[in-house]
Amino acid sequence: MTAPAEPPPGRPSLAPDARPPEARAVLDGLLEHLLNGVAYCRMEYTDGQPSDFLFLYTNPAFHSQTGLADVCGKHISQIVPGLRQTDPALLEIFGRVARGGQPETFVMPVKSMAEWFSVSVYCPHPEHFIALFDVVTERKKAEAALEDRARQLRFVLEGSELGFWDWDIATGKVERNPQWGHMLGYTFEELQHTAQQWADFVHPHDRERAWASIFDVVEGRSAAHKLEYRMLHKDGSIRWILDQAKVMQRDGHGKATRMCGTHTDITERKLLEEELRRQAHVDYLTGIYNRRHFMERAEQELSRAHRYAKPLSMLMLDIDHFKQINDRHGHKVGDTVLKAVADLSQATFRDVDIVGRLGGEEFAALLPETDQPAALEAAERLRATIANARIPLPGAPPVSFSVSIGVSSMDSPEDNIDALLQRADKALYKAKDSGRNRVCGRDGKA
């Protein structure tokens, strides 16, 4: 994007010079109604280092998100004193990009404003930068519960550039910029200027929802369209898009005649969110449920068993002499044994059964609608399967291993998960005391 030759009075136009005046007006209007904050600034340097910047233009969202007013024509040092001392990293990024560096996208706290910002910044011409941002403080607070797992991961909410679209509703023609197509793997020449092409690119499962959101705005039921949905990439992959738009023009009868919006590729953020959800439920080594999620699922099944008066059984299993396996063959082989136990458990039990790793070499399985005899039979089947398994070693005999299993079953409506686990744990110790590689129920018999 290049700087306009002669920006109109009051605020500069940020549209490319090559566009016709009406398209430039649409883009200016788009910025005015954009839900992201936008700031156009001139960078200043002292002894070659970024030291301050002057606001040349800000959109309404800038003021609503930051709470700052009347900033145009003022330096950041006037508006937020001390920013240079408290947030040098922010100045460094702006200064680097304003010198013609590559566009950058980042999420960081601005200490002097006591807020977290998600920012995309690029250089329209030397010593100037345009920053597009959202205040994401509330989102960062919501992520605190996952901070232990996500500390080294970073959300990237938006790409460094936006795809925008301008829909003439009366004619059905849609003008798009090249970036709109590039997000989906298409060149500008491959784009068709129709709403139908957009609909064809939207994932079939999201298409109805996306149209509904747009028509809610067109027909005046909603003020703005803001929706995350999937689109089909040219290479067959799926891209997640944040689509934001507003009706820009209506006729004398209030009928919408023009709608403009932006596309932001948020695929990376979506993948990261999915990974965080997976990590919150799954044991990192074995791929089965971790202790916390196993207990949550177990509580759900226990409630269902009480509600419908169905039987329920709990198995606890422990790998016999696991420390010796680690000491003799190394932790890598030990990890392989842990994964094998998890895999064999899932292969042996039914899809409705719940398997989890409680910690170390200890596993548990909850068997819905299963009484004590059936649970003992399932446990014995698993024990025999594991006893016959072998872990191959290069240049050495394969490693064999076994498990001891304790079984308990629900006896009364007052039973809870802790009671089932305690009884299964006692039965497990009976199995170990009886020589290991065996199954014991509550009465100590297989």
Side-chain angles (χ1 to χ4, degrees), residues 9-22:
R11 61 176 176 80
S13 170
L14 304 182
D17 284 340
R19 294 191 172 276
E22 62 271 19

Side-chain angles (χ1 to χ4, degrees), residues 198-332:
W198 164 79
D200 291 342
F201 289 163
V202 175
H203 192 285
H205 293 166
D206 295 343
R207 197 170 292 152
E208 183 177 352
R209 183 168 60 96
W211 270 122
S213 178
I214 286 177
F215 279 113
D216 279 347
V217 179
V218 169
E219 295 171 10
R221 291 186 293 271
S222 298
H225 162 69
K226 186 174 184 179
L227 191 67
E228 296 176 359
Y229 55 82
R230 294 163 293 178
M231 296 191 76
L232 307 175
H233 194 278
K234 187 178 181 179
D235 64 10
S237 64
I238 300 296
R239 307 303 294 177
W240 275 95
I241 299 296
L242 169 61
D243 192 1
Q244 303 180 89
K246 274 193 171 185
V247 169
M248 304 299 295
Q249 293 178 0
R250 293 184 182 272
D251 62 20
H253 302 287
K255 184 178 180 180
T257 58
R258 176 167 281 185
M259 188 175 191
C260 300
T262 62
H263 277 190
T264 304
D265 188 333
I266 57 169
T267 305
E268 186 174 349
R269 191 197 85 194
K270 283 291 187 178
L271 293 175
L272 183 54
E273 288 174 348
E274 180 60 31
E275 175 62 15
L276 289 175
R277 282 192 291 270
R278 190 193 69 81
Q279 289 182 15
H281 295 160
V282 173
D283 175 63
Y284 76 97
L285 177 63
T286 61
I288 61 177
Y289 290 144
N290 58 23
R291 182 186 186 94
R292 178 179 177 181
H293 195 58
F294 174 83
M295 297 299 288
E296 290 175 355
R297 290 291 311 278
E299 291 288 355
Q300 294 169 3
E301 285 299 327
L302 180 68
S303 296
R304 194 174 70 85
H306 285 323
R307 186 181 309 119
Y308 298 107
K310 297 290 186 179
L312 184 74
S313 294
M314 177 76 75
L315 275 61
M316 287 192 67
L317 50 148
D318 191 273
I319 301 174
D320 297 327
H321 303 298
F322 185 68
K323 185 177 184 301
Q324 294 180 16
I325 295 175
N326 275 331
D327 292 344
R328 182 178 301 173
H329 303 287
H331 288 284
K332 186 175 181 180

Side-chain angles (χ1 to χ4, degrees), residues 179 201 235 343 380:
Q179 182 62 18
F201 289 163
D235 64 10
D343 292 343
E380 176 58 27

Side-chain angles (χ1 to χ4, degrees), residues 45-306:
Y45 301 85
T46 301
D47 297 327
Q49 298 300 316
S51 58
D52 211 343
F53 56 85
L54 180 71
F55 286 99
L56 301 177
Y57 164 75
T58 54
N59 72 337
F62 173 96
H63 306 291
S64 63
Q65 291 211 39
T66 66
L68 300 175
D70 300 324
V71 300
C72 288
K74 296 180 181 178
H75 288 85
I76 189 65
S77 58
Q78 296 174 263
I79 301 162
V80 186
L83 180 137
R84 182 177 180 182
Q85 289 72 36
T86 59
D87 301 282
L90 183 66
L91 275 178
E92 181 181 343
I93 294 173
F94 287 165
R96 180 168 63 242
V97 174
R99 277 180 165 153
Q102 291 296 313
E104 298 191 27
T105 298
F106 58 93
V107 178
M108 71 161 50
V110 177
K111 297 178 183 178
S112 53
M113 299 182 70
E115 297 281 9
W116 277 83
F117 288 85
S118 173
V119 185
S120 293
V121 58
Y122 73 98
C123 175
H125 56 86
E127 298 188 0
H128 290 70
F129 66 88
I130 293 175
L132 183 144
F133 68 89
D134 281 313
V135 176
V136 294
T137 305
E138 292 305 314
R139 193 199 84 210
K140 296 300 290 186
K141 290 179 181 178
E143 292 168 1
L146 295 174
E147 188 175 353
D148 57 332
R149 295 183 179 272
R151 189 168 298 165
Q152 297 180 358
L153 301 177
R154 186 180 237 179
F155 283 110
V156 179
L157 298 178
E158 301 176 9
S160 59
E161 296 182 5
L162 294 172
F164 70 87
W165 51 270
D166 171 18
W167 180 24
D168 186 329
I169 300 173
T171 66
K173 186 176 181 181
V174 182
E175 293 292 342
R176 303 182 176 97
N177 69 335
Q179 182 62 18
W180 191 96
H182 292 166
M183 291 182 184
L184 304 176
Y186 293 92
T187 65
F188 185 72
E189 291 70 27
E190 291 177 293
L191 298 181
Q192 300 173 13
H193 300 290
T194 65
Q196 184 58 49
Q197 187 182 49
W198 164 79
D200 291 342
F201 289 163
V202 175
H203 192 285
H205 293 166
D206 295 343
R207 197 170 292 152
E208 183 177 352
R209 183 168 60 96
W211 270 122
S213 178
I214 286 177
F215 279 113
D216 279 347
V217 179
V218 169
E219 295 171 10
R221 291 186 293 271
S222 298
H225 162 69
K226 186 174 184 179
L227 191 67
E228 296 176 359
Y229 55 82
R230 294 163 293 178
M231 296 191 76
L232 307 175
H233 194 278
K234 187 178 181 179
D235 64 10
S237 64
I238 300 296
R239 307 303 294 177
W240 275 95
I241 299 296
L242 169 61
D243 192 1
Q244 303 180 89
K246 274 193 171 185
V247 169
M248 304 299 295
Q249 293 178 0
R250 293 184 182 272
D251 62 20
H253 302 287
K255 184 178 180 180
T257 58
R258 176 167 281 185
M259 188 175 191
C260 300
T262 62
H263 277 190
T264 304
D265 188 333
I266 57 169
T267 305
E268 186 174 349
R269 191 197 85 194
K270 283 291 187 178
L271 293 175
L272 183 54
E273 288 174 348
E274 180 60 31
E275 175 62 15
L276 289 175
R277 282 192 291 270
R278 190 193 69 81
Q279 289 182 15
H281 295 160
V282 173
D283 175 63
Y284 76 97
L285 177 63
T286 61
I288 61 177
Y289 290 144
N290 58 23
R291 182 186 186 94
R292 178 179 177 181
H293 195 58
F294 174 83
M295 297 299 288
E296 290 175 355
R297 290 291 311 278
E299 291 288 355
Q300 294 169 3
E301 285 299 327
L302 180 68
S303 296
R304 194 174 70 85
H306 285 323

